[in-house]
Amino acid sequence: TALTWLFRFDEAELGFERARMRADTHGLPVLAALARGGLGQLALHRGDHPLALRELEAGARGLAAGGAPRQQQVEAERELADAY
């Protein structure tokens, strides 16, 4: 996330993708969903709205399905709503 705010988008994307793959490999759905949300935020900063909406929605769904705390779910839903 810090790399995104520093406009180091390529490095941020690589970090989020690696985090998502590792979380998927180890069966950690909440962490995978958080990584997808990060990818969505990154796409939003890049101006790729269709990709941003897909990733943010997948992240929000993943948090709900993975049993994340309700506050995290609400934050993900808010980010998705802000993107719309």
Side-chain angles (χ1 to χ4, degrees):
T1 301
L3 292 171
T4 300
W5 289 108
L6 292 171
F7 301 102
R8 293 167 57 183
F9 297 141
D10 293 336
E11 291 175 77
E13 182 177 24
L14 179 63
F16 283 129
E17 283 292 346
R18 288 179 61 205
R20 184 193 52 78
M21 287 188 301
R22 286 183 178 177
D24 285 340
T25 298
H26 296 286
L28 302 167
V30 172
L31 292 178
L34 290 172
R36 299 245 3 222
L39 286 166
Q41 287 295 327
L42 177 59
L44 194 60
H45 288 301
R46 285 181 159 171
D48 188 348
H49 291 106
L51 177 61
L53 293 174
R54 282 193 307 272
E55 292 295 335
L56 289 169
E57 185 176 350
R61 275 195 323 260
L63 288 172
R70 185 66 184 139
Q71 181 177 349
Q72 280 183 318
Q73 294 176 35
V74 169
E75 288 174 10
E77 291 167 5
R78 180 192 45 81
E79 289 175 356
L80 179 59
D82 286 347
Y84 273 105

